[in-house]
Amino acid sequence: MKKLKAKVQEYYSVKEYEKKFYPESYKKQLLEISDPNTLGTTLARESLNKFKQLIQKQKVCI
């Protein structure tokens, strides 16, 4: 039986994955984050989303 020799690509972060498979949205995110006026709002949104996900996980565990 022959084994297929396929390249295995490993991704260590979501950013690497997005950069490879969704280059347009990745570039758009970089532009949004590089703007100093929207940097704070972007970071706040990410923090709130992470917090929301943690709360949802806690509800499931209880």
Side-chain angles (χ1 to χ4, degrees):
M1 194 175 205
K2 291 185 180 181
K3 292 184 180 179
L4 295 176
K5 292 185 179 183
K7 272 189 172 179
V8 177
Q9 184 87 24
E10 292 183 5
Y11 298 99
Y12 297 102
S13 69
V14 175
K15 286 186 179 185
E16 289 180 20
Y17 181 80
E18 287 176 348
K19 187 176 181 179
K20 174 73 175 176
F21 293 102
Y22 303 104
E24 292 176 12
S25 64
Y26 179 76
K27 288 177 185 176
K28 184 178 176 183
Q29 284 179 344
L30 288 179
L31 289 175
E32 288 177 0
I33 292 174
S34 66
D35 183 20
N37 293 330
T38 59
L39 178 63
T41 54
T42 304
L43 292 175
R45 280 191 194 126
E46 289 176 3
S47 300
L48 288 173
N49 287 335
K50 288 179 184 178
F51 185 68
K52 197 183 297 184
Q53 290 173 355
L54 288 171
I55 290 175
Q56 290 174 349
K57 284 182 183 178
Q58 291 295 326
K59 286 181 181 179
V60 171
C61 293
I62 296 174

